[in-house]
Amino acid sequence: MIPFRFIPLVIFLISLQNVSFAESTTSHKIQKQTGYIESSSTIQKHVEAIDDQTQLQREITRNLDHEIRLQTRYQSQLQRQLEQLESVVDELESEMSNIRQTKVNLYPLLEKMVTTLEDLVRTDLPFDKRQRLERVERLNLDLDNPQMSEAEKLERILIAYQTEIQYGTQVKTWFGRLTPTQEVQFIRVGRLGYYYLSLDTLTAGMWLAADQKWGALGADETAQIEQALITLNDGGTYPVITLPKAQ
């Protein structure tokens, strides 16, 4: 039996033991709660990390989907452009084929035009004949010039034709040599008549196209030529002149 005087000490020790036990239990619970909180925090961080990755994947997926749609529209646009380009190429090839065929057909035409022009000059009134034949010869050289396009060749031929056409509307007088020893005054009325008058006004002549030579005129016709030259040399505007009829 415990003596009475020791009972308070025992009670104190028991209380101290209970307090220690209670503190130990509380500390254990705190540690356990702390561990639970730390575990929950780790899990939360892991969940947040997974959520971040999920959001990132969704963003990547949206970007890829947008890029795919853009690429699809771009491919469709390229396809339409390609089809249009193929159509243009087909048209160009057709035009080039037509141009090549035109060039094939154009050269004989140009050649014929130059030949026709040369024949005209040779059979026409013999005014400025050397100059006109030289122009035709240059056209023949142009036809054989590979550095000139058919368009340029055609342009020069048309200019030559235009020049010959203008001769048909001109009325001109000038001094020149009928022969190496005889100087005369010429008069040309378009392509209707070509005449000369000697400087002493005693003789005159008219170009005979059928015979391709000069024919002498009588006194009356010579007087007509002289009067026509006087009228034209006076500088009258559109004078009325009378000339022998060309044959």
Side-chain angles (χ1 to χ4, degrees):
M1 184 175 179
I2 302 173
F4 178 77
R5 64 176 176 272
F6 292 110
I7 290 175
L9 180 60
V10 171
I11 293 172
F12 173 75
L13 292 174
I14 292 173
S15 298
L16 184 62
Q17 184 178 5
N18 289 336
V19 170
S20 176
F21 176 77
E23 290 178 350
S24 175
T25 300
T26 300
S27 176
H28 177 72
K29 288 181 178 181
I30 291 173
Q31 291 178 355
K32 185 176 181 181
Q33 186 66 27
T34 301
Y36 175 75
I37 292 173
E38 291 177 350
S39 177
S40 297
S41 176
T42 302
I43 293 173
Q44 180 64 29
K45 291 180 180 179
H46 183 64
V47 170
E48 290 176 354
I50 292 175
D51 183 64
D52 290 342
Q53 291 181 357
T54 302
Q55 292 296 330
L56 179 61
Q57 290 297 325
R58 287 177 180 174
E59 184 66 24
I60 292 174
T61 301
R62 283 196 298 269
N63 291 337
L64 287 175
D65 182 65
H66 179 68
E67 185 68 23
I68 289 172
R69 288 197 299 270
L70 288 178
Q71 288 295 330
T72 301
R73 287 198 297 269
Y74 180 65
Q75 289 295 331
S76 299
Q77 183 180 3
L78 283 181
Q79 182 64 31
R80 289 193 299 270
Q81 292 178 348
L82 180 60
E83 291 173 356
Q84 293 174 356
L85 182 59
E86 289 176 348
S87 177
V88 171
V89 170
D90 291 340
E91 292 178 1
L92 287 176
E93 288 180 350
S94 177
E95 291 179 2
M96 289 299 296
S97 177
N98 292 335
I99 290 173
R100 285 191 291 269
Q101 186 61 40
T102 300
K103 290 177 65 175
V104 170
N105 296 331
L106 183 59
Y107 184 84
L109 175 62
L110 298 179
E111 194 174 37
K112 184 177 180 180
M113 291 177 68
V114 175
T115 301
T116 301
L117 186 63
E118 183 176 3
D119 292 340
L120 170 65
V121 173
R122 292 189 181 279
T123 58
D124 195 19
L125 304 178
F127 62 91
D128 299 334
K129 193 166 186 177
R130 186 180 66 179
Q131 175 186 345
R132 294 159 70 195
L133 287 175
E134 287 176 352
R135 184 185 300 117
V136 172
E137 181 60 27
R138 286 195 297 271
L139 292 178
N140 281 317
L141 294 176
D142 291 340
L143 287 179
D144 296 330
N145 186 352
Q147 296 181 347
M148 289 183 62
S149 67
E150 273 65 19
E152 293 173 320
K153 295 175 184 178
L154 177 59
E155 181 182 11
R156 294 193 179 186
I157 292 173
L158 292 178
I159 290 174
Y161 266 86
Q162 184 64 33
T163 301
E164 288 293 332
I165 291 173
Q166 290 175 355
Y167 289 149
T169 62
Q170 295 173 345
V171 178
K172 293 185 64 176
T173 65
W174 69 96
F175 290 94
R177 290 191 176 276
L178 182 65
T179 67
T181 59
Q182 183 182 7
E183 186 174 5
V184 297
Q185 187 172 9
F186 291 100
I187 175 173
R188 177 174 63 82
V189 181
R191 285 189 166 87
L192 297 177
Y194 186 31
Y195 312 89
Y196 73 85
L197 179 67
S198 63
L199 296 183
D200 58 12
T201 71
L202 296 178
T203 59
M206 176 177 60
W207 182 257
L208 304 176
D211 299 329
Q212 289 290 295
K213 66 178 184 179
W214 290 104
L217 295 176
D220 292 339
E221 294 172 327
T222 299
Q224 289 180 350
I225 298 297
E226 182 181 5
Q227 184 58 46
L229 285 170
I230 291 174
T231 302
L232 291 172
N233 291 335
D234 285 343
T237 304
Y238 303 110
V240 177
I241 58 177
T242 303
L243 292 169
K245 182 179 180 181
Q247 301 296 323

